[in-house]
Amino acid sequence: MEKKIINDYISSNKERFLNELLDLLKIPSISADNKYSADVLKTAEAVKTRLIEAGADKVEVCPTKGFPVVYGEKMIDPKLPTVVVYGHYDVQPADPLNLWDSPPFEPVLKKTAVHPDGAIFARGACDDKGQMYMHVKAFETMMKTNSLPCNVKFMIEGEEEVGSPSLGPWIIENKEKLKGDVILISDTSIIANDTPSIDAGLRGLAYMEVEVTGPNRDLHSGVYGGAVANPINVLCKMIASCHDENNHITIPAFYDKVVELSADERTEMAKAPFNLDDFKKDLNVDDIRGEKGYSTIERTGIRPTLDVNGIWGGYTGEGAKTVLPSKAFAKISMRLVPDQNSHEISELFQKYFESVAPKSVKVKVTAHHGGEPVVVPITSAGYIAASKAMEETYGKKPVPTRGGGSIPIVALFKKELGLDSILFGFGLDSDALHSPNEHYGLFNYYKGIETIPLFYKYYTESTK
Ligand code: BES
Ligand code: MN
Ligand code: MN
């Protein structure tokens, strides 16, 4: 009965729920680019307004050293459990702009093969405005239909895409305010719209920048070429040396703390549906590549990686310029798995990189933001409630998966607040997160709004 009331409320407000999200998507809240600071702040204010309208109390835009955290709550009874919802209102930069079929901050609806009901195309549609806003609308729905079964607190940040530098200190200062029982996050993916799944872990991240310096100035590549180390050639060789012929990472001690899964656990993981041909077709690649001895799902879920994210130096302008560059640069990220530690891995990387540099160059290694890997016990009350909720709305029990991406703050929620995070994502990996033409399926958006209240219900019931 209650379920019908909830679903009727969602159906009769469908269009408004969508239009409100579209409005939010029009604000370019790019946290990485200073030019957009005012827009990031504007988005925080918009989220605040929406939380108030949805029925939250004590809604505030909490200042931090960086972009603010939007907080709001509904405490109905201190004896009932408290769900703490986390999400982020900032988005990735939109470039390369020329590869978008429509402007990134002018959302449009289009049907795709994967989303026959239509999808919203805009930066942040899936990551994370669309997924975050499902929680605001699910909360409104529960408020308006008198079906909120427990307390709720919202913590929506504006710096996730730049590594959440201010949120860590903010949660440490606000432990009392954030007292709760479980963290609920929709910022991950499911396997497919007919195959629900819940991430039972996320990888961590160590992000490095390297600078290789050769001669004190750019040189004529004819006059000097052949006699002086070219920093770009050297850097490429150093990077290539980070993997062996089996695509194992060669940095000494890199794997020392990696938890190997048991044969049983690997068999369990292999049950998740995965089609290699579809995978290749989606990416338009003829073959895949990865660490020997592991499946694709394992390579993105339970194994660490080392990847160059960007590399530059020398002449990259139009035409040809014969130059032997003075400097070469690269940004290199390593995805980490339990029990690797981002600080230790950054140090190992630095030592290794310095050790493989020939005397003919100088090398400088610096660490950017990082984050620790996490596992979420699938036996926890939160996971079970999430699983039941999805089973009810998808008609299928969700598969436990390991997410390849990172949400660095999740490990801190555990460490500082003692809380497990339930990774209740509804997006698809094919939704082009961080890429041109990011989108979010309407099916996914509404399915999330419908499923979230069931999480609250089952979670609350489980604590009685
Ligand atoms: N929502 C993603 C993380 C994600 C996406 C996890 C899909 C699992 C599946 C998040 O916004 C993100 O992009 N995180 C960054 C971390 C960072 C910028 C420190 C990442 O994973 O690169
Ligand atoms: Mn995200
Ligand atoms: Mn992201």
Side-chain angles (χ1 to χ4, degrees), residues 210 235-252 254-255 305-308 332-334 348-350 352-354 356:
V210 299
L235 176 59
C236 290
K237 218 170 174 171
M238 288 164 72
I239 290 169
S241 82
C242 290
H243 290 93
D244 69 13
E245 67 284 4
N246 293 323
N247 281 312
H248 257 48
I249 294 157
T250 52
I251 298 173
F254 185 84
Y255 292 99
T305 66
L306 183 151
D307 272 299
V308 180
I332 297 171
S333 70
M334 291 162 283
L348 292 177
F349 175 89
Q350 173 159 9
Y352 176 77
F353 232 64
E354 286 167 357
V356 292

mmCIF file of all heavy atoms in Angstrom, residues 210 235-252 254-255 305-308 332-334 348-350 352-354 356:
data_model
loop_
_atom_site.group_PDB
_atom_site.id
_atom_site.type_symbol
_atom_site.label_atom_id
_atom_site.label_comp_id
_atom_site.label_asym_id
_atom_site.label_seq_id
_atom_site.Cartn_x
_atom_site.Cartn_y
_atom_site.Cartn_z
ATOM 1 N N VAL A 210 55.593 13.868 -12.606
ATOM 2 C CA VAL A 210 57.045 13.778 -12.743
ATOM 3 C C VAL A 210 57.544 14.808 -13.746
ATOM 4 O O VAL A 210 56.859 15.144 -14.720
ATOM 5 C CB VAL A 210 57.504 12.354 -13.164
ATOM 6 C CG1 VAL A 210 57.096 11.344 -12.124
ATOM 7 C CG2 VAL A 210 56.958 11.965 -14.521
ATOM 8 N N LEU A 235 62.063 9.861 -20.419
ATOM 9 C CA LEU A 235 60.833 9.684 -19.642
ATOM 10 C C LEU A 235 60.024 8.502 -20.176
ATOM 11 O O LEU A 235 59.497 7.692 -19.403
ATOM 12 C CB LEU A 235 60.001 10.977 -19.674
ATOM 13 C CG LEU A 235 58.630 10.932 -18.990
ATOM 14 C CD1 LEU A 235 58.755 10.570 -17.516
ATOM 15 C CD2 LEU A 235 57.901 12.268 -19.141
ATOM 16 N N CYS A 236 59.945 8.394 -21.505
ATOM 17 C CA CYS A 236 59.185 7.278 -22.087
ATOM 18 C C CYS A 236 59.782 5.942 -21.660
ATOM 19 O O CYS A 236 59.054 5.001 -21.325
ATOM 20 C CB CYS A 236 59.176 7.375 -23.611
ATOM 21 S SG CYS A 236 58.171 8.735 -24.206
ATOM 22 N N LYS A 237 61.089 5.873 -21.660
ATOM 23 C CA LYS A 237 61.762 4.640 -21.266
ATOM 24 C C LYS A 237 61.510 4.329 -19.790
ATOM 25 O O LYS A 237 61.257 3.186 -19.411
ATOM 26 C CB LYS A 237 63.265 4.786 -21.505
ATOM 27 C CG LYS A 237 63.897 3.529 -22.025
ATOM 28 C CD LYS A 237 65.302 3.771 -22.482
ATOM 29 C CE LYS A 237 65.921 2.432 -22.844
ATOM 30 N NZ LYS A 237 67.211 2.597 -23.486
ATOM 31 N N MET A 238 61.561 5.378 -18.970
ATOM 32 C CA MET A 238 61.321 5.190 -17.535
ATOM 33 C C MET A 238 59.895 4.696 -17.298
ATOM 34 O O MET A 238 59.648 3.800 -16.497
ATOM 35 C CB MET A 238 61.561 6.504 -16.781
ATOM 36 C CG MET A 238 63.036 6.887 -16.691
ATOM 37 S SD MET A 238 63.278 8.628 -16.233
ATOM 38 C CE MET A 238 62.793 8.619 -14.514
ATOM 39 N N ILE A 239 58.959 5.296 -18.014
ATOM 40 C CA ILE A 239 57.556 4.886 -17.860
ATOM 41 C C ILE A 239 57.382 3.446 -18.346
ATOM 42 O O ILE A 239 56.729 2.629 -17.684
ATOM 43 C CB ILE A 239 56.620 5.842 -18.633
ATOM 44 C CG1 ILE A 239 56.586 7.210 -17.948
ATOM 45 C CG2 ILE A 239 55.216 5.252 -18.730
ATOM 46 C CD1 ILE A 239 55.919 8.305 -18.761
ATOM 47 N N ALA A 240 57.992 3.142 -19.500
ATOM 48 C CA ALA A 240 57.854 1.784 -20.051
ATOM 49 C C ALA A 240 58.417 0.747 -19.079
ATOM 50 O O ALA A 240 57.910 -0.381 -19.007
ATOM 51 C CB ALA A 240 58.552 1.696 -21.395
ATOM 52 N N SER A 241 59.428 1.151 -18.318
ATOM 53 C CA SER A 241 60.050 0.191 -17.398
ATOM 54 C C SER A 241 59.164 -0.118 -16.190
ATOM 55 O O SER A 241 59.486 -0.986 -15.384
ATOM 56 C CB SER A 241 61.409 0.716 -16.926
ATOM 57 O OG SER A 241 61.231 1.626 -15.858
ATOM 58 N N CYS A 242 58.069 0.592 -16.039
ATOM 59 C CA CYS A 242 57.186 0.360 -14.876
ATOM 60 C C CYS A 242 56.358 -0.928 -15.014
ATOM 61 O O CYS A 242 55.724 -1.363 -14.055
ATOM 62 C CB CYS A 242 56.250 1.538 -14.673
ATOM 63 S SG CYS A 242 57.079 3.022 -14.090
ATOM 64 N N HIS A 243 56.291 -1.485 -16.236
ATOM 65 C CA HIS A 243 55.566 -2.746 -16.431
ATOM 66 C C HIS A 243 56.503 -3.767 -17.064
ATOM 67 O O HIS A 243 57.345 -3.404 -17.888
ATOM 68 C CB HIS A 243 54.377 -2.559 -17.376
ATOM 69 C CG HIS A 243 53.249 -1.759 -16.795
ATOM 70 N ND1 HIS A 243 53.122 -0.408 -16.968
ATOM 71 C CD2 HIS A 243 52.184 -2.143 -16.043
ATOM 72 C CE1 HIS A 243 52.030 0.022 -16.351
ATOM 73 N NE2 HIS A 243 51.436 -1.014 -15.777
ATOM 74 N N ASP A 244 56.340 -5.040 -16.726
ATOM 75 C CA ASP A 244 57.107 -6.081 -17.409
ATOM 76 C C ASP A 244 56.276 -6.667 -18.545
ATOM 77 O O ASP A 244 55.172 -6.184 -18.839
ATOM 78 C CB ASP A 244 57.619 -7.147 -16.420
ATOM 79 C CG ASP A 244 56.489 -7.992 -15.846
ATOM 80 O OD1 ASP A 244 55.351 -7.936 -16.371
ATOM 81 O OD2 ASP A 244 56.729 -8.715 -14.859
ATOM 82 N N GLU A 245 56.786 -7.754 -19.173
ATOM 83 C CA GLU A 245 56.100 -8.293 -20.343
ATOM 84 C C GLU A 245 54.740 -8.914 -19.993
ATOM 85 O O GLU A 245 53.913 -9.129 -20.876
ATOM 86 C CB GLU A 245 57.015 -9.287 -21.095
ATOM 87 C CG GLU A 245 57.344 -10.585 -20.365
ATOM 88 C CD GLU A 245 58.399 -10.438 -19.242
ATOM 89 O OE1 GLU A 245 58.849 -9.298 -18.962
ATOM 90 O OE2 GLU A 245 58.753 -11.460 -18.632
ATOM 91 N N ASN A 246 54.511 -9.167 -18.719
ATOM 92 C CA ASN A 246 53.206 -9.695 -18.310
ATOM 93 C C ASN A 246 52.273 -8.606 -17.794
ATOM 94 O O ASN A 246 51.235 -8.898 -17.190
ATOM 95 C CB ASN A 246 53.393 -10.756 -17.215
ATOM 96 C CG ASN A 246 54.095 -11.990 -17.751
ATOM 97 O OD1 ASN A 246 53.858 -12.393 -18.886
ATOM 98 N ND2 ASN A 246 54.981 -12.574 -16.950
ATOM 99 N N ASN A 247 52.680 -7.364 -18.013
ATOM 100 C CA ASN A 247 51.919 -6.216 -17.495
ATOM 101 C C ASN A 247 51.810 -6.192 -15.980
ATOM 102 O O ASN A 247 50.854 -5.651 -15.420
ATOM 103 C CB ASN A 247 50.538 -6.148 -18.146
ATOM 104 C CG ASN A 247 50.631 -5.546 -19.518
ATOM 105 O OD1 ASN A 247 51.266 -4.511 -19.698
ATOM 106 N ND2 ASN A 247 50.046 -6.216 -20.499
ATOM 107 N N HIS A 248 52.796 -6.773 -15.357
ATOM 108 C CA HIS A 248 52.968 -6.663 -13.914
ATOM 109 C C HIS A 248 53.699 -5.359 -13.653
ATOM 110 O O HIS A 248 54.582 -4.993 -14.429
ATOM 111 C CB HIS A 248 53.895 -7.788 -13.449
ATOM 112 C CG HIS A 248 53.186 -8.921 -12.803
ATOM 113 N ND1 HIS A 248 52.080 -9.525 -13.326
ATOM 114 C CD2 HIS A 248 53.462 -9.581 -11.649
ATOM 115 C CE1 HIS A 248 51.700 -10.498 -12.533
ATOM 116 N NE2 HIS A 248 52.523 -10.555 -11.508
ATOM 117 N N ILE A 249 53.410 -4.713 -12.573
ATOM 118 C CA ILE A 249 54.122 -3.475 -12.236
ATOM 119 C C ILE A 249 55.453 -3.849 -11.580
ATOM 120 O O ILE A 249 55.503 -4.737 -10.710
ATOM 121 C CB ILE A 249 53.236 -2.581 -11.345
ATOM 122 C CG1 ILE A 249 52.026 -2.123 -12.183
ATOM 123 C CG2 ILE A 249 54.010 -1.382 -10.802
ATOM 124 C CD1 ILE A 249 50.821 -1.733 -11.388
ATOM 125 N N THR A 250 56.525 -3.192 -12.026
ATOM 126 C CA THR A 250 57.878 -3.617 -11.620
ATOM 127 C C THR A 250 58.423 -2.867 -10.406
ATOM 128 O O THR A 250 59.517 -3.171 -9.946
ATOM 129 C CB THR A 250 58.861 -3.380 -12.781
ATOM 130 O OG1 THR A 250 58.710 -2.018 -13.193
ATOM 131 C CG2 THR A 250 58.572 -4.295 -13.960
ATOM 132 N N ILE A 251 57.697 -1.906 -9.911
ATOM 133 C CA ILE A 251 58.196 -1.125 -8.771
ATOM 134 C C ILE A 251 58.400 -2.062 -7.574
ATOM 135 O O ILE A 251 57.462 -2.763 -7.179
ATOM 136 C CB ILE A 251 57.184 -0.010 -8.403
ATOM 137 C CG1 ILE A 251 57.039 0.949 -9.581
ATOM 138 C CG2 ILE A 251 57.590 0.711 -7.123
ATOM 139 C CD1 ILE A 251 55.949 1.990 -9.400
ATOM 140 N N PRO A 252 59.619 -2.105 -7.013
ATOM 141 C CA PRO A 252 59.866 -3.027 -5.913
ATOM 142 C C PRO A 252 58.894 -2.793 -4.748
ATOM 143 O O PRO A 252 58.607 -1.655 -4.402
ATOM 144 C CB PRO A 252 61.311 -2.701 -5.494
ATOM 145 C CG PRO A 252 61.934 -2.096 -6.713
ATOM 146 C CD PRO A 252 60.836 -1.373 -7.422
ATOM 147 N N PHE A 254 55.804 -3.090 -4.635
ATOM 148 C CA PHE A 254 54.495 -2.536 -5.018
ATOM 149 C C PHE A 254 53.332 -3.458 -4.609
ATOM 150 O O PHE A 254 52.280 -3.003 -4.171
ATOM 151 C CB PHE A 254 54.459 -2.286 -6.524
ATOM 152 C CG PHE A 254 53.207 -1.597 -7.011
ATOM 153 C CD1 PHE A 254 53.103 -0.218 -6.967
ATOM 154 C CD2 PHE A 254 52.134 -2.332 -7.512
ATOM 155 C CE1 PHE A 254 51.950 0.426 -7.412
ATOM 156 C CE2 PHE A 254 50.976 -1.689 -7.953
ATOM 157 C CZ PHE A 254 50.890 -0.314 -7.909
ATOM 158 N N TYR A 255 53.548 -4.762 -4.776
ATOM 159 C CA TYR A 255 52.449 -5.716 -4.495
ATOM 160 C C TYR A 255 52.474 -6.279 -3.079
ATOM 161 O O TYR A 255 51.629 -7.099 -2.734
ATOM 162 C CB TYR A 255 52.508 -6.887 -5.483
ATOM 163 C CG TYR A 255 52.174 -6.509 -6.915
ATOM 164 C CD1 TYR A 255 53.183 -6.269 -7.848
ATOM 165 C CD2 TYR A 255 50.852 -6.391 -7.328
ATOM 166 C CE1 TYR A 255 52.879 -5.929 -9.162
ATOM 167 C CE2 TYR A 255 50.538 -6.051 -8.637
ATOM 168 C CZ TYR A 255 51.547 -5.821 -9.548
ATOM 169 O OH TYR A 255 51.246 -5.478 -10.840
ATOM 170 N N THR A 305 46.841 -0.746 -10.538
ATOM 171 C CA THR A 305 47.290 -0.350 -11.879
ATOM 172 C C THR A 305 48.286 0.796 -11.802
ATOM 173 O O THR A 305 48.418 1.440 -10.759
ATOM 174 C CB THR A 305 46.116 0.181 -12.722
ATOM 175 O OG1 THR A 305 45.668 1.403 -12.117
ATOM 176 C CG2 THR A 305 44.978 -0.794 -12.818
ATOM 177 N N LEU A 306 48.935 1.038 -12.924
ATOM 178 C CA LEU A 306 49.760 2.246 -13.088
ATOM 179 C C LEU A 306 49.502 2.745 -14.498
ATOM 180 O O LEU A 306 49.702 2.013 -15.471
ATOM 181 C CB LEU A 306 51.245 1.907 -12.892
ATOM 182 C CG LEU A 306 52.220 3.092 -12.959
ATOM 183 C CD1 LEU A 306 53.443 2.825 -12.086
ATOM 184 C CD2 LEU A 306 52.645 3.447 -14.368
ATOM 185 N N ASP A 307 48.999 3.977 -14.611
ATOM 186 C CA ASP A 307 48.651 4.525 -15.925
ATOM 187 C C ASP A 307 49.113 5.964 -16.068
ATOM 188 O O ASP A 307 48.985 6.757 -15.137
ATOM 189 C CB ASP A 307 47.126 4.513 -16.115
ATOM 190 C CG ASP A 307 46.637 3.199 -16.687
ATOM 191 O OD1 ASP A 307 47.067 2.863 -17.800
ATOM 192 O OD2 ASP A 307 45.845 2.517 -16.006
ATOM 193 N N VAL A 308 49.596 6.280 -17.256
ATOM 194 C CA VAL A 308 49.922 7.668 -17.574
ATOM 195 C C VAL A 308 48.615 8.368 -17.937
ATOM 196 O O VAL A 308 47.859 7.886 -18.776
ATOM 197 C CB VAL A 308 50.893 7.751 -18.766
ATOM 198 C CG1 VAL A 308 51.223 9.210 -19.079
ATOM 199 C CG2 VAL A 308 52.162 6.965 -18.471
ATOM 200 N N ILE A 332 50.959 10.582 -13.634
ATOM 201 C CA ILE A 332 50.846 9.122 -13.556
ATOM 202 C C ILE A 332 49.993 8.751 -12.351
ATOM 203 O O ILE A 332 50.239 9.220 -11.233
ATOM 204 C CB ILE A 332 52.251 8.498 -13.435
ATOM 205 C CG1 ILE A 332 53.052 8.819 -14.708
ATOM 206 C CG2 ILE A 332 52.172 6.982 -13.197
ATOM 207 C CD1 ILE A 332 54.513 8.448 -14.645
ATOM 208 N N SER A 333 48.962 7.936 -12.591
ATOM 209 C CA SER A 333 48.129 7.528 -11.456
ATOM 210 C C SER A 333 48.227 6.031 -11.235
ATOM 211 O O SER A 333 48.426 5.256 -12.178
ATOM 212 C CB SER A 333 46.667 7.901 -11.696
ATOM 213 O OG SER A 333 46.127 7.102 -12.713
ATOM 214 N N MET A 334 48.128 5.660 -9.992
ATOM 215 C CA MET A 334 48.089 4.241 -9.634
ATOM 216 C C MET A 334 46.805 3.983 -8.872
ATOM 217 O O MET A 334 46.516 4.666 -7.895
ATOM 218 C CB MET A 334 49.314 3.887 -8.781
ATOM 219 C CG MET A 334 50.594 3.935 -9.604
ATOM 220 S SD MET A 334 52.075 4.041 -8.585
ATOM 221 C CE MET A 334 52.049 5.756 -8.101
ATOM 222 N N LEU A 348 57.151 4.560 -2.775
ATOM 223 C CA LEU A 348 57.793 3.509 -3.569
ATOM 224 C C LEU A 348 57.974 3.959 -5.013
ATOM 225 O O LEU A 348 59.005 3.713 -5.635
ATOM 226 C CB LEU A 348 56.958 2.217 -3.542
ATOM 227 C CG LEU A 348 56.857 1.482 -2.210
ATOM 228 C CD1 LEU A 348 55.930 0.277 -2.345
ATOM 229 C CD2 LEU A 348 58.234 1.044 -1.735
ATOM 230 N N PHE A 349 56.956 4.633 -5.520
ATOM 231 C CA PHE A 349 57.031 5.127 -6.893
ATOM 232 C C PHE A 349 58.176 6.132 -7.029
ATOM 233 O O PHE A 349 58.983 6.066 -7.947
ATOM 234 C CB PHE A 349 55.707 5.782 -7.305
ATOM 235 C CG PHE A 349 55.759 6.421 -8.673
ATOM 236 C CD1 PHE A 349 55.441 5.687 -9.807
ATOM 237 C CD2 PHE A 349 56.164 7.748 -8.828
ATOM 238 C CE1 PHE A 349 55.514 6.264 -11.073
ATOM 239 C CE2 PHE A 349 56.246 8.331 -10.089
ATOM 240 C CZ PHE A 349 55.921 7.588 -11.215
ATOM 241 N N GLN A 350 58.228 7.062 -6.088
ATOM 242 C CA GLN A 350 59.259 8.102 -6.135
ATOM 243 C C GLN A 350 60.654 7.484 -6.114
ATOM 244 O O GLN A 350 61.512 7.826 -6.934
ATOM 245 C CB GLN A 350 59.083 9.058 -4.957
ATOM 246 C CG GLN A 350 60.230 10.064 -4.868
ATOM 247 C CD GLN A 350 59.845 11.295 -4.071
ATOM 248 O OE1 GLN A 350 58.782 11.346 -3.449
ATOM 249 N NE2 GLN A 350 60.694 12.301 -4.089
ATOM 250 N N TYR A 352 61.535 4.462 -6.925
ATOM 251 C CA TYR A 352 61.780 3.720 -8.163
ATOM 252 C C TYR A 352 62.119 4.678 -9.294
ATOM 253 O O TYR A 352 63.086 4.480 -10.028
ATOM 254 C CB TYR A 352 60.552 2.879 -8.532
ATOM 255 C CG TYR A 352 60.714 2.178 -9.858
ATOM 256 C CD1 TYR A 352 61.507 1.035 -9.961
ATOM 257 C CD2 TYR A 352 60.097 2.666 -11.001
ATOM 258 C CE1 TYR A 352 61.676 0.401 -11.191
ATOM 259 C CE2 TYR A 352 60.258 2.044 -12.221
ATOM 260 C CZ TYR A 352 61.051 0.906 -12.319
ATOM 261 O OH TYR A 352 61.218 0.292 -13.524
ATOM 262 N N PHE A 353 61.326 5.723 -9.419
ATOM 263 C CA PHE A 353 61.529 6.638 -10.544
ATOM 264 C C PHE A 353 62.884 7.325 -10.461
ATOM 265 O O PHE A 353 63.544 7.539 -11.476
ATOM 266 C CB PHE A 353 60.383 7.655 -10.610
ATOM 267 C CG PHE A 353 59.765 7.703 -11.966
ATOM 268 C CD1 PHE A 353 59.114 6.595 -12.479
ATOM 269 C CD2 PHE A 353 59.859 8.835 -12.759
ATOM 270 C CE1 PHE A 353 58.564 6.612 -13.748
ATOM 271 C CE2 PHE A 353 59.311 8.874 -14.030
ATOM 272 C CZ PHE A 353 58.668 7.756 -14.532
ATOM 273 N N GLU A 354 63.276 7.654 -9.248
ATOM 274 C CA GLU A 354 64.598 8.274 -9.089
ATOM 275 C C GLU A 354 65.700 7.270 -9.407
ATOM 276 O O GLU A 354 66.730 7.612 -9.987
ATOM 277 C CB GLU A 354 64.747 8.839 -7.670
ATOM 278 C CG GLU A 354 63.928 10.119 -7.494
ATOM 279 C CD GLU A 354 63.760 10.567 -6.045
ATOM 280 O OE1 GLU A 354 64.235 9.862 -5.135
ATOM 281 O OE2 GLU A 354 63.111 11.610 -5.844
ATOM 282 N N VAL A 356 65.633 4.761 -11.543
ATOM 283 C CA VAL A 356 65.803 4.384 -12.957
ATOM 284 C C VAL A 356 66.215 5.561 -13.843
ATOM 285 O O VAL A 356 66.420 5.392 -15.041
ATOM 286 C CB VAL A 356 64.538 3.707 -13.556
ATOM 287 C CG1 VAL A 356 64.312 2.343 -12.919
ATOM 288 C CG2 VAL A 356 63.298 4.584 -13.417
#
